[in-house]
Amino acid sequence: MSEEPRTYTLAELQREIKESLSESFPFAVWIVAEINTLTRHRSGHCYMELVQKSKTSNSIVAQARATIWANKFSFISAYFESETDRELAEGMNVMLQVAITYHEVYGMSLNVLGINPTYTIGDVERAKKEIIDRLINEGVFDMNKKQELPSVIQNIAVISSSTAAGYGDFVNHLETNMYGYHINVTLYEAAMQGELTEQSVLDALNRIGDEYENYDAVAIIRGGGSKNDLSWFDNYNIAYMVTQFPLPVISGIGHERDESIVDMVAHTRMKTPTAVANFIIDYNSKFEEQIDSTSSEIFGIAKDFLMSSEMYLNNMTMSIMKVRTRLSKDTERCDRIMSEIRNSLNVRMKEEEMNLNMIAKKIETSPKHFISEQENHINGIKELMVRTTKHRIEKANEKLSFLEHRLTLNDPRTILKRGYSITRINGKVVNNDLEANDGDIMETILYDGKITSVVKK
């Protein structure tokens, strides 16, 4: 007769399992798992659900409850935060030292005795490096840095939470800037930590992208927080969209020591929201300084040009005065020459008249031959007089034409026709700006007309 199989009561089976586990795992062991849920009880205990997920499908392939009792949790959590600058949180891969316990009613549970923060740091940095390498391999890592900021930042779209202290500081800093710049800020509400961060930030970027022509840049800002809060911006989808964005993105996520992936791919990375506001104010201030410098250079060039032009006009005026004096002297000389010519002609005419009278008397008594010779002689004298007189008149006319031409070249109207002008204040020619006062009536004489203006400065 065959032996009947052994039958266990449920309690007996649970005791057997408990004893087997105690024999197999008499000491604490180190395990690697992901925190699926984490609850901090008001008693100080921490309850977790640990899981292991499939590498291919992300489905859960193993699961266990774990507890960190209050007397251990304060030490473990403080040690973990001091080493990683992060709080224990859901979704985090951890290496824990656990004691395996089994209860006949509650089943298996893991009692957490210690934690290895180095494993979590390595896992976080490994995941972060994988995202960075992916963006670099896709050739998009530096794309947003190539976007050009406009000469002046006047309209900025801000992605932040309206209740964040960092957003309030950012707006207040812009509104109270020492230069009095008016900068339009449009808030696109988004969660800046937690599981909603990715989708809300992507939604905000999409809304801004639909009307990007209205903005000069985008600012992603949040207040300070733990390193764990910053990890929500080590996100591939957010970073990738920033690299593709048609506007320069300025990040001010608010962490002094660490840099998120969004910081790395942004056009400009600042540490805090206030630093972002300072960057915008300083950027606009530099443009204003360039404008002031350029204006000063233009004013200096214009002033030098006016001074040189004024000196040139003064020299031209002096030259004209000299020409007028010379022309007056030459005119007097011409008049004197003409008077001498007339006197000489009168004397010569009188002399010839006397000779003619003498010849006339001789003609009355001389033969025809003598008359003929005298006529020839008279004709020769007449031709000589005509030639001499004509030659002297031509020379005088040539000299008068030359003097008239010089006078025309130096005529003020001729100089004005070339594009120069003469400026007078109260009827007096102005030689420099020191002779002008605010409110004076200034008359600018042109070639064809004049302009009357009032001195403002």
Side-chain angles (χ1 to χ4, degrees), residues 133-264:
D133 291 342
R134 181 179 176 185
L135 293 169
I136 293 174
N137 293 333
E138 290 172 349
V140 300
F141 191 83
D142 293 324
M143 285 185 67
N144 193 256
K145 299 183 187 299
K146 297 176 182 178
Q147 294 284 347
E148 292 187 6
L149 285 167
S151 299
V152 177
I153 301 175
Q154 292 181 298
N155 299 290
I156 187 162
V158 178
I159 298 176
S160 183
S161 170
S162 59
T163 59
Y167 173 70
D169 294 340
F170 173 80
V171 173
N172 181 65
H173 209 67
L174 287 181
E175 290 179 347
T176 58
N177 72 85
M178 61 183 293
Y179 302 101
Y181 299 145
H182 178 71
I183 299 168
N184 298 315
V185 175
T186 303
L187 174 65
Y188 288 80
E189 186 81 27
M192 303 308 285
Q193 65 184 53
E195 295 180 355
L196 297 177
T197 301
E198 176 183 347
Q199 192 57 50
S200 63
V201 171
L202 291 176
D203 289 344
L205 286 169
N206 280 320
R207 295 199 306 274
I208 298 170
D210 291 338
E211 47 189 16
Y212 76 94
E213 300 92 345
N214 298 330
Y215 303 106
D216 300 318
V218 176
I220 301 177
I221 59 174
R222 63 185 295 277
S226 68
K227 192 170 183 177
N228 192 51
D229 295 335
L230 185 68
S231 66
W232 296 105
F233 290 90
D234 291 330
N235 180 283
Y236 170 80
N237 291 327
I238 297 176
Y240 183 82
M241 192 162 185
V242 168
T243 66
Q244 303 298 300
F245 210 69
L247 292 172
V249 176
I250 306 170
S251 68
I253 296 176
H255 210 272
E256 293 288 335
R257 291 180 296 172
D258 298 287
E259 187 176 31
S260 70
I261 296 176
V262 171
D263 287 323
M264 295 177 184

Side-chain angles (χ1 to χ4, degrees), residues 28-161:
V29 296
W30 287 93
I31 66 168
V32 172
E34 178 184 328
I35 301 175
N36 192 42
T37 62
L38 184 149
T39 304
R40 293 177 174 82
H41 196 268
R42 62 176 177 271
S43 62
H45 305 317
C46 177
Y47 301 102
M48 297 184 293
E49 180 184 81
L50 302 178
V51 298
Q52 180 180 339
K53 295 181 179 178
S54 171
K55 294 181 179 180
T56 57
S57 63
N58 206 38
S59 59
I60 295 175
V61 297
Q63 180 175 323
R65 291 182 295 107
T67 303
I68 309 178
W69 302 113
N71 62 337
K72 290 284 187 182
F73 181 66
S74 59
F75 168 77
I76 289 174
S77 61
Y79 171 58
F80 183 81
E81 288 180 29
S82 67
E83 293 296 316
T84 65
D85 198 24
R86 301 171 184 268
E87 295 180 356
L88 284 170
E90 296 173 357
M92 190 175 285
N93 288 318
V94 292
M95 179 180 286
L96 302 173
Q97 185 185 37
V98 298
I100 303 170
T101 61
Y102 193 87
H103 191 274
E104 290 83 347
V105 176
Y106 302 110
M108 189 187 76
S109 178
L110 304 177
N111 183 13
V112 179
L113 304 177
I115 191 168
N116 182 357
T118 304
Y119 175 82
T120 303
I121 294 173
D123 182 72
V124 170
E125 293 303 319
R126 181 170 55 255
K128 186 174 180 178
K129 185 176 184 302
E130 288 175 357
I131 294 174
I132 294 171
D133 291 342
R134 181 179 176 185
L135 293 169
I136 293 174
N137 293 333
E138 290 172 349
V140 300
F141 191 83
D142 293 324
M143 285 185 67
N144 193 256
K145 299 183 187 299
K146 297 176 182 178
Q147 294 284 347
E148 292 187 6
L149 285 167
S151 299
V152 177
I153 301 175
Q154 292 181 298
N155 299 290
I156 187 162
V158 178
I159 298 176
S160 183
S161 170

Side-chain angles (χ1 to χ4, degrees), residues 247-397:
L247 292 172
V249 176
I250 306 170
S251 68
I253 296 176
H255 210 272
E256 293 288 335
R257 291 180 296 172
D258 298 287
E259 187 176 31
S260 70
I261 296 176
V262 171
D263 287 323
M264 295 177 184
V265 300
H267 180 280
T268 301
R269 184 251 174 165
M270 305 305 294
K271 292 181 179 180
T272 63
T274 302
V276 174
N278 282 331
F279 169 79
I280 295 170
I281 295 168
D282 292 342
Y283 183 85
N284 290 347
S285 175
K286 289 177 182 177
F287 177 77
E288 185 177 19
E289 289 175 1
Q290 291 175 356
I291 293 297
D292 290 342
S293 176
T294 303
S295 298
S296 297
E297 290 179 7
I298 293 173
F299 178 77
I301 293 171
K303 185 177 180 180
D304 291 342
F305 176 76
L306 288 173
M307 289 181 65
S308 61
S309 298
E310 186 175 8
M311 291 176 63
Y312 177 77
L313 286 174
N314 289 336
N315 291 334
M316 290 298 296
T317 302
M318 293 177 65
S319 298
I320 291 171
M321 296 298 294
K322 290 179 180 179
V323 170
R324 283 182 175 177
T325 303
R326 179 66 180 273
L327 187 58
S328 177
K329 291 180 179 179
D330 290 343
T331 301
E332 291 177 359
R333 185 181 176 189
C334 287
D335 291 340
R336 188 170 62 252
I337 292 172
M338 290 299 295
S339 178
E340 291 175 357
I341 291 173
R342 283 193 297 268
N343 292 334
S344 298
L345 286 174
N346 290 332
V347 171
R348 187 64 179 269
M349 290 293 288
K350 288 180 179 179
E351 290 176 353
E352 294 302 327
E353 186 178 359
M354 291 174 65
N355 289 333
L356 286 174
N357 291 333
M358 292 174 63
I359 292 170
K361 290 179 180 180
K362 289 180 179 181
I363 289 174
E364 294 177 356
T365 58
S366 299
K368 291 182 179 181
H369 177 73
F370 178 77
I371 293 173
S372 177
E373 286 179 353
Q374 292 302 316
E375 285 180 352
N376 291 335
H377 179 68
I378 292 171
N379 289 334
I381 293 173
K382 184 179 180 180
E383 289 177 1
L384 177 62
M385 290 176 63
V386 170
R387 286 197 304 269
T388 301
T389 302
K390 183 177 181 181
H391 178 71
R392 297 193 69 176
I393 291 174
E394 287 176 352
K395 288 294 183 180
N397 286 335

